[in-house]
Amino acid sequence: MVKRSCPSCGPETGGEEKKGRGNPISVQLFPPELVEHIISFLPVRDVVALGQTCHYFHEVCDAEGVWRRICRRLSPRLREQGSGTRPWKRAAILNYTKGLYFQAFGGRRRCLSKSVAPLLAHGYRRFLPTKDHVFILDYSGTLFFLKNALVSSTLGQIQWKRACRYVVLCRGAKDFASDPRCDTVYRKYLYVLATREQLGVVGTTSSRACDCVEVYLQSSGQRVFKMTFHHSMSFKQIVLVGQETQRALLLLTEEGRIYSLVVNETQLDQPRSYTVQLALRKMSHCLPHLRVACMASNQSSTLYITDQGGVYFEVHTPGVYRDLFGTLQAFDPLDQQMPLALSLPAKILFCALGYNHLGLVDEFGRIFMQGNNRYGQLGTGDKMDRGEPTQVHYLQRPIALWCGLNHSLVLSQGSDFSKELLGCGCGAGGRLPGWPKGSASFVKLHVKVPLCACSLCSTRECLYMLSSHDIEHHPAYRDLPASRVLGTPEPDPGSIAPQDPGGTAQACEEYLSQIHSCPTLQDRMEKMKEIVGWMPLMAAQKDFFWEALDMLQRAAGGVGQGPPTPES
């Protein structure tokens, strides 16, 4: 029998060995290649747990040889080791944690389902649901076409079944986009930004890489249009804006400049060739010193985030402009591409853009909302529109943010590394599971979030969550300086009154006033449950308060029931 004896723990001590068992043998006597080979057969979760037992196993379980064997076992068709400082470990964990989960809003089935995982996929980087299917881009530039089956339920509603099969749509893809409207019914075409080898001088066999945009039918995956750019231009992102007849494609170069071209989608399926003109966008023409890092768009506006964290806006319709800024004073219908700068207190890392509202997350993890708040989709606790970015004080350091037509979602992580999904706004159609009446504040939704969830998307029929963990993606948030923790200007030296962090005391007074205005004990209990959902508490704390309120309600003879438990 072999017993482990590592140098950090020392040999096992105790009484004499039982007769016939011999002396204990140190695991260090085995060849390192043999130990790594044995460990590579363990599941990834067990390899990580074994590496936390002692210093010796930590070094063995962290060796690239172990992760190379695990990666080849998880993805036998993966030929390249990927990139980064730990390529095999990164590739193994990417493929171990990849997954696409979805929960249908209609019908009786209210739980997460997992789609089929393509064996060829090297992790999941981005996904996009369309009218009938889902498209996934992996870390090696392969775009997969997941074909879903739509079936009718017993209640007459349309339900999504798990993806039944998949095909490779194309390789060498950098980014892709479709109709920017929230309703997937409009997503007829898929625009793919890719790199292709093109022949050089006529009569020679030399070739060079050129970027191109290929257009595919989402229903069948058939390519219907292709445009190729000069080899000197290299792009990294594509977004769409505008209607079908005047669809503008915005292309972001590696240098941070934006070019645009206009196509008519209604003529893409006609067998003819024509030339489109590529022009520099006004954002890059008027502000050439700014480098754009990323873009976001909807059907009537575009948002740009620079590499310094600044935010600029293009708004193309007066209605959306009024919803976002509360006035039409600076709107010029003859110059819709003029970028408007948003005033923000810190560097912005990422954003979410809905139809008439938006969300921004800064380098300190603070969330700012702006725009129309008719349904409470800003999460500010009321239904007052905001014409400038307004901080949501009780939410911090989100993993992902999503703004839909009239609701918003936030993916957050607790101190115990568990993830939860919060939502606010309109709850009609089941878009806020557990809160059919909606909420003007972010409340915890009754959705079991995967451990490695990193992005989300909500459509009229379904809620999607993408799971993928990249060990090279470290949290980018910074700690807020001590002078700005309170979220208010620095106090005067002569002022000794303590500040209220985030207006907590004022919010609690408002909550008490709402409870006091309820006429009956039953109404007060229900209002208290609703307020607990608004408060920035951990999931376990909220579940405790809800259960305690249910017990008090039953003891007082109440018949109402609180939110269902996670098990239900």
Side-chain angles (χ1 to χ4, degrees), residues 182-252:
C182 295
D183 195 343
T184 56
V185 173
Y186 300 106
R187 297 175 183 172
K188 180 180 179 181
Y189 295 101
L190 188 76
Y191 294 76
V192 181
L193 175 64
T195 301
R196 296 285 181 263
E197 291 291 334
Q198 300 290 335
L199 293 177
V201 182
V202 179
T204 64
T205 59
S206 62
S207 62
R208 53 191 174 190
C210 298
D211 284 356
C212 64
V213 172
E214 299 175 340
V215 185
Y216 296 85
L217 277 172
Q218 70 85 30
S219 57
S220 61
Q222 177 186 0
R223 194 181 75 181
V224 296
F225 189 73
K226 179 181 180 180
M227 59 189 84
T228 304
F229 308 105
H230 193 266
H231 66 88
S232 62
M233 305 191 70
S234 178
F235 302 100
K236 65 178 182 179
Q237 188 184 2
I238 178 174
V239 297
L240 308 182
V241 65
Q243 302 296 328
E244 291 88 341
T245 55
Q246 286 289 111
R247 182 76 74 200
L249 279 66
L250 305 186
L251 297 163
L252 177 61

Side-chain angles (χ1 to χ4, degrees), residues 252-476:
L252 177 61
T253 67
E254 298 288 348
E255 295 78 21
R257 297 168 67 85
I258 304 168
Y259 289 86
S260 66
L261 58 91
V262 179
V263 297
N264 187 350
E265 278 192 359
T266 60
Q267 299 178 357
L268 288 180
D269 53 355
Q270 299 178 7
R272 68 189 185 96
S273 71
Y274 58 91
T275 303
V276 293
Q277 184 177 2
L278 190 66
L280 189 65
R281 198 71 172 178
K282 198 162 191 176
M283 171 68 188
S284 297
H285 180 74
C286 295
L287 304 171
H289 60 286
L290 295 179
R291 292 170 55 93
V292 178
C294 63
M295 306 181 293
S297 69
N298 59 25
Q299 63 266 42
S300 57
S301 58
T302 310
L303 187 147
Y304 307 107
I305 299 179
T306 67
D307 58 349
Q308 299 299 319
V311 178
Y312 293 83
F313 231 114
E314 285 182 14
V315 184
H316 305 155
T317 58
V320 174
Y321 190 96
R322 185 188 295 110
D323 285 336
L324 289 173
F325 299 100
T327 179
L328 287 175
Q329 183 176 359
F331 179 74
D332 186 358
L334 302 178
D335 191 10
Q336 300 176 356
Q337 292 187 15
M338 176 59 69
L340 306 171
L342 296 186
S343 177
L344 293 158
K347 177 181 179 180
I348 297 300
L349 297 184
F350 62 93
C351 68
L353 184 59
Y355 172 66
N356 52 13
H357 75 290
L358 62 99
L360 304 167
V361 180
D362 70 359
E363 58 183 333
F364 302 113
R366 298 176 297 183
I367 299 178
F368 296 86
M369 306 294 290
Q370 177 180 344
N372 185 287
N373 198 24
R374 183 179 303 171
Y375 298 92
Q377 59 262 43
L378 301 185
T380 54
D382 53 43
K383 295 186 179 181
M384 298 174 56
D385 297 345
R386 299 296 196 277
E388 58 184 15
T390 303
Q391 183 180 354
V392 182
H393 291 282
Y394 57 92
L395 286 182
Q396 288 184 348
R397 298 177 177 251
I399 298 175
L401 180 64
W402 168 263
C403 291
L405 181 63
N406 47 29
H407 72 293
S408 304
L409 302 175
V410 168
L411 182 63
S412 65
Q413 179 173 286
S415 57
D416 57 349
F417 298 102
S418 63
K419 292 184 174 64
E420 60 183 14
L421 188 62
L422 308 173
C424 66
C426 179
R431 67 192 66 185
L432 297 181
W435 301 88
K437 296 182 179 179
S439 173
S441 299
F442 281 98
V443 293
K444 180 186 175 183
L445 305 183
H446 299 156
V447 176
K448 186 178 180 181
V449 182
L451 183 62
C452 296
C454 60
S455 63
L456 69 154
C457 172
S458 179
T459 66
R460 179 181 295 181
E461 304 90 1
C462 198
L463 170 67
Y464 296 88
M465 282 183 286
L466 187 73
S467 172
S468 182
H469 179 67
D470 189 355
I471 62 175
E472 292 188 354
H473 178 71
H474 302 289

Side-chain angles (χ1 to χ4, degrees), residues 34-46:
L34 178 60
V35 178
E36 293 179 0
H37 182 74
I38 295 173
I39 292 177
S40 65
F41 285 97
L42 296 175
V44 174
R45 185 186 299 269
D46 294 341

